[in-house]
Amino acid sequence: MMPGPNLVYGCPKCGRKVMNRSIASGNTFGATLFSDGTRVAPMLPEYPREAKCKGCGTFYDFNKENFIRVIELFDPTECNCDYAMFLTIKEYQEKINLNIGDETQNRLKVWQLSNKKLEIVDTEAYKENCERLIELLQNAQDVNAKITLAELYRNIGGFQKCSAIINSLSEDYDWLKENFLEQCAAKNTKTFAFKN
């Protein structure tokens, strides 16, 4: 893994700055893939792609419109920036309530973050979010969306629906089918790591 430069972005409303790290190169060697589509890759870290301004509360993306400059060597006195932080479940829920950004993507983030906090998974709010995502993804034809749909059903106890979707995938996904069907047979609703 080779770290990249520090990137400074500015809030489009008030101009308050935030600094985000970057990566110049990396790989997925030793990565762990989880059933909700998340991945932990020690040699390919992820950094935030959006922020909620600590000054005015505006949500904005780290894109070229909000980019200010590159800082090759970090000097906290030069930067005068906040550090970029990943949005929280509460902040994604705020985006959903305010209709900011894509609802499906915001709800996927709530779901994936909730899966990391096992005490949230058994709540009514978790189930409601899963059910809304199922509505949004119901007619998707993309294979990744189908796998996500199957996982959502499994997370709320819909083991037969999960199995039916997984079994409909081509033989190219036999490795994945085995993992999912094993979890369905065990009536496990929790996120799991795929076996190699």
Side-chain angles (χ1 to χ4, degrees):
M1 181 191 82
M2 184 178 295
N6 295 301
L7 308 174
V8 178
Y9 297 88
C11 171
K13 187 170 181 183
C14 73
R16 185 165 174 154
K17 294 179 289 186
V18 64
M19 186 186 69
N20 198 17
R21 292 180 293 171
S22 71
I23 184 166
S25 67
N27 61 66
T28 57
F29 181 76
T32 303
L33 181 63
F34 294 91
S35 54
D36 64 358
T38 56
R39 176 183 68 192
V40 174
M43 300 302 289
L44 192 64
E46 292 186 20
Y47 300 116
R49 296 181 182 181
E50 59 189 329
K52 180 179 181 182
C53 179
K54 291 184 179 177
C56 67
T58 298
F59 289 98
Y60 65 97
D61 293 328
F62 294 151
N63 56 28
K64 64 181 180 180
E65 287 81 16
N66 300 317
F67 177 73
I68 295 177
R69 70 174 189 258
V70 172
I71 299 177
E72 293 292 344
L73 297 172
F74 178 61
D75 178 357
T77 58
E78 177 204 355
C79 179
N80 190 27
C81 304
D82 297 316
Y83 286 99
M85 305 290 287
F86 288 101
L87 296 186
T88 63
I89 292 171
K90 185 177 177 182
E91 288 168 335
Y92 279 113
Q93 288 171 330
E94 184 181 351
K95 285 182 71 181
I96 292 165
N97 294 338
L98 295 172
N99 199 25
I100 297 172
D102 180 76
E103 180 186 3
T104 302
Q105 292 306 311
N106 287 331
R107 287 189 177 277
L108 284 169
K109 288 292 188 182
V110 169
W111 173 57
Q112 292 169 336
L113 288 170
S114 298
N115 289 338
K116 289 184 172 66
K117 299 176 181 285
L118 294 179
E119 70 276 9
I120 293 174
V121 174
D122 294 322
T123 66
E124 194 59 34
Y126 178 84
K127 185 177 180 185
E128 287 173 9
N129 188 60
C130 287
E131 288 171 345
R132 178 61 181 146
L133 276 168
I134 287 169
E135 286 178 38
L136 292 167
L137 296 172
Q138 195 66 54
N139 298 316
Q141 297 303 311
D142 175 72
V143 69
N144 290 325
K146 286 183 178 181
I147 294 167
T148 299
L149 188 60
E151 175 68 348
L152 287 161
Y153 274 120
R154 193 184 63 79
N155 289 158
I156 59 171
F159 303 112
Q160 287 186 332
K161 288 185 178 179
C162 174
S163 297
I165 294 168
I166 291 301
N167 279 322
S168 74
L169 301 177
S170 74
E171 61 185 26
D172 294 339
Y173 295 92
D174 282 351
W175 65 274
L176 181 138
K177 291 181 188 182
E178 183 180 328
N179 281 268
F180 267 99
L181 295 175
E182 182 180 310
Q183 298 301 320
C184 285
K187 304 287 191 239
N188 177 30
T189 59
K190 306 294 191 236
T191 305
F192 65 89
F194 285 109
K195 296 175 184 174
N196 294 334

